[in-house]
Amino acid sequence: GEDLVVENKIEMTFKVDRKLPMMVRMANLCVVGGFSVNGVAEIHSEIVKEEVFNEFYELWPEKFQNKTNGVTPRRWIRFCNPDLSKIITKWIGTEDWVTDLEKLAILRKFADNEELQLEWMESKRRNKIKVASFIKEKTGYVVSPDAMFDVQVKRIHEYKRQLLNIMGIVFRYKKMKELSAEERKQVFVPRVCIFGGKAFATYVQAKRIVKFITDVGATVNHDPEIGDLLKVVFVPDYNVSVAEMLIPGSELSQHISTAGMEASGTSNMKFAMNGCVQIGTLDGANVEIREEVGEDNFFLFGARAQEIAGLRNERAEGKFVPDPRFEEVKSYVRSGVFGSYNYDDLIGSLEGNEGYGRADYFLVGKDFPSYLECQEEVDKAYRDQKKWTRMSILNTAGSYKFSSDRTIHEYARDIWRIEPVVLP
């Protein structure tokens, strides 16, 4: 556009390019007509300003805000995890934390207290037993509550990378099969890997991923050599009620989207509140969760949001060299270990340098080595239960920012410009 300075005001005029398709640009209209535009996590708000609406941001910087999402502690800890809530109330000395979540920070000073650690571990185990009996009822699989409960529940989406998780599990299984029974026990921490989530009716690739996970489970869970060292469970019909039972019984929670693609995520907040340690990328609210709980209490891996476009370009130029472990997993899947289903379309999406549904758009192969190495760190930490429990307590203690009470207060103050009504 041409800029005309009129009495110190800048007027923008835009020329219409008739060659472009004539369509109503709804998002642009919203920015123009709206009082304020906000992202739902710090990284998301930055992407909105720098990329999605950059021209509008340069025109009206004051219109753009951040409001990091939150979840309600009434449902997502007090109601769904009464066992842990009792312990929190006992150590904080009041139940006021339920409506004033910042009080959770008081737990930090007890993180090394052996009495609290013992109560914390026992509570987690009771919650795991509930999950185990749910799994038995819904799937017939029997899992051990002494194994690490490793959970990824969210809608099935290529960008959320359930595929990265299951391929990591396949690698683990293959390595187990190559060891003697003795070595296997030395090298691997027992895990129950739990998936859940809905795949949209016409989203074929998502359906394939679900099929793949259940096929891996059917093979691994019936392997007498492996026993309780590894179980893979896809929980049917994932919903809020299932989440209310699964989250309190989780120990490791996976939030592994390709950096820059998850606007915020809120289950990550629910898991942190319930003392689950997270493995994740620097994406969505993960960035802020890691900041709040402390980077020592968060397992970080993967490419950063700023690198993604460059990595995709390198891929298009044929410069990407896959890690041999990634190639190994792909050929293992293709060898038919997990049944006769033809996985060419699924595995093919991770191959080639260009084309729709190919060229590994979500960088599963790129992040695979980083993910495997991070999972080894997870195993190492879990072997030291005292250390793990400390991390768990510090995750709960650092989760107070992620209360929806804080979020709604910020909307009221900065966007809606409304005053609270004080009840008599």
Side-chain angles (χ1 to χ4, degrees), residues 77-222:
I77 180 158
R78 182 60 191 82
F79 170 76
C80 73
N81 202 343
D83 203 328
L84 191 65
S85 297
K86 268 201 207 77
I87 294 167
I88 292 169
T89 297
K90 171 185 158 181
W91 286 84
I92 289 180
T94 169
E95 211 184 17
D96 291 354
W97 62 270
V98 176
T99 49
D100 178 11
L101 208 62
E102 287 189 16
K103 286 195 163 66
L104 284 184
I106 295 168
L107 288 171
R108 283 185 179 135
K109 63 176 188 234
F110 303 117
D112 290 302
N113 183 299
E114 294 193 354
E115 195 189 333
L116 172 61
Q117 288 185 350
L118 193 64
E119 290 177 21
W120 201 267
M121 284 161 74
E122 286 169 346
S123 166
K124 182 62 79 179
R125 196 167 195 280
R126 287 190 289 271
N127 287 330
K128 285 168 73 178
I129 288 167
K130 287 183 191 159
V131 172
S133 91
F134 173 84
I135 288 172
K136 172 86 170 67
E137 180 198 337
K138 296 290 178 193
T139 69
Y141 292 134
V142 176
V143 303
S144 164
D146 296 319
M148 179 204 302
F149 279 23
D150 159 355
V151 179
Q152 186 181 19
V153 286
K154 47 189 76 240
R155 283 164 304 170
I156 312 299
H157 240 294
E158 288 168 281
Y159 86 83
K160 292 179 187 281
R161 298 200 296 189
Q162 284 90 356
L163 198 48
L164 176 59
N165 184 352
I166 192 64
M167 288 185 82
I169 292 166
V170 168
F171 182 78
R172 192 179 186 90
Y173 176 63
K174 183 175 191 287
K175 294 298 119 183
M176 283 180 174
K177 295 294 281 179
E178 290 164 4
L179 296 176
S180 71
E182 253 332 285
E183 293 171 315
R184 215 176 279 140
K185 278 209 165 54
Q186 295 306 122
V187 175
F188 293 101
V189 165
R191 286 207 197 194
V192 179
C193 301
I194 301 168
F195 293 83
K198 293 176 179 173
F200 190 71
T202 56
Y203 192 173
V204 178
Q205 197 69 314
K207 299 283 187 187
R208 284 192 191 111
I209 292 166
V210 175
K211 165 90 173 115
F212 182 37
I213 294 165
T214 55
D215 284 352
V216 172
T219 300
V220 171
N221 301 350
H222 293 117

Side-chain angles (χ1 to χ4, degrees), residues 333-347:
V333 173
R334 285 189 164 125
S335 74
V337 182
F338 304 111
S340 58
Y341 183 83
N342 180 350
Y343 280 109
D344 284 349
D345 284 324
L346 184 61
I347 304 297

Side-chain angles (χ1 to χ4, degrees), residues 139-348:
T139 69
Y141 292 134
V142 176
V143 303
S144 164
D146 296 319
M148 179 204 302
F149 279 23
D150 159 355
V151 179
Q152 186 181 19
V153 286
K154 47 189 76 240
R155 283 164 304 170
I156 312 299
H157 240 294
E158 288 168 281
Y159 86 83
K160 292 179 187 281
R161 298 200 296 189
Q162 284 90 356
L163 198 48
L164 176 59
N165 184 352
I166 192 64
M167 288 185 82
I169 292 166
V170 168
F171 182 78
R172 192 179 186 90
Y173 176 63
K174 183 175 191 287
K175 294 298 119 183
M176 283 180 174
K177 295 294 281 179
E178 290 164 4
L179 296 176
S180 71
E182 253 332 285
E183 293 171 315
R184 215 176 279 140
K185 278 209 165 54
Q186 295 306 122
V187 175
F188 293 101
V189 165
R191 286 207 197 194
V192 179
C193 301
I194 301 168
F195 293 83
K198 293 176 179 173
F200 190 71
T202 56
Y203 192 173
V204 178
Q205 197 69 314
K207 299 283 187 187
R208 284 192 191 111
I209 292 166
V210 175
K211 165 90 173 115
F212 182 37
I213 294 165
T214 55
D215 284 352
V216 172
T219 300
V220 171
N221 301 350
H222 293 117
D223 189 330
E225 288 191 311
I226 301 299
D228 282 338
L229 265 187
L230 185 61
K231 292 280 188 252
V232 180
V233 179
F234 194 97
V235 171
D237 191 28
Y238 179 66
N239 58 30
V240 168
S241 309
V242 173
E244 287 170 349
M245 180 264 318
L246 266 184
I247 293 171
S250 304
E251 291 174 288
L252 179 72
S253 97
Q254 303 215 28
H255 303 275
I256 58 178
S257 54
T258 312
M261 300 202 72
E262 188 73 83
S264 167
T266 50
S267 76
N268 45 5
M269 302 167 183
K270 299 167 190 175
F271 280 101
M273 240 172 241
N274 286 273
C276 307
V277 185
Q278 189 169 319
I279 181 170
T281 50
L282 277 185
D283 196 24
N286 292 3
V287 178
E288 291 156 82
I289 290 173
R290 178 169 173 261
E291 209 173 291
E292 297 295 322
V293 306
E295 45 196 61
D296 292 346
N297 305 306
F298 183 107
F299 293 99
L300 177 69
F301 77 95
R304 309 296 192 252
Q306 297 71 24
E307 305 174 79
I308 303 299
L311 289 166
R312 285 181 181 143
N313 285 337
E314 278 179 27
R315 180 82 186 220
E317 291 160 15
K319 290 179 185 165
F320 175 66
V321 180
D323 188 278
R325 291 168 292 186
F326 188 61
E327 296 306 286
E328 191 183 336
V329 169
K330 290 191 315 192
S331 31
Y332 193 59
V333 173
R334 285 189 164 125
S335 74
V337 182
F338 304 111
S340 58
Y341 183 83
N342 180 350
Y343 280 109
D344 284 349
D345 284 324
L346 184 61
I347 304 297

Side-chain angles (χ1 to χ4, degrees), residues 355-369:
Y356 178 73
R358 291 188 67 79
D360 192 9
Y361 186 77
F362 301 97
L363 281 75
V364 174
K366 172 67 191 174
D367 279 349
F368 192 68

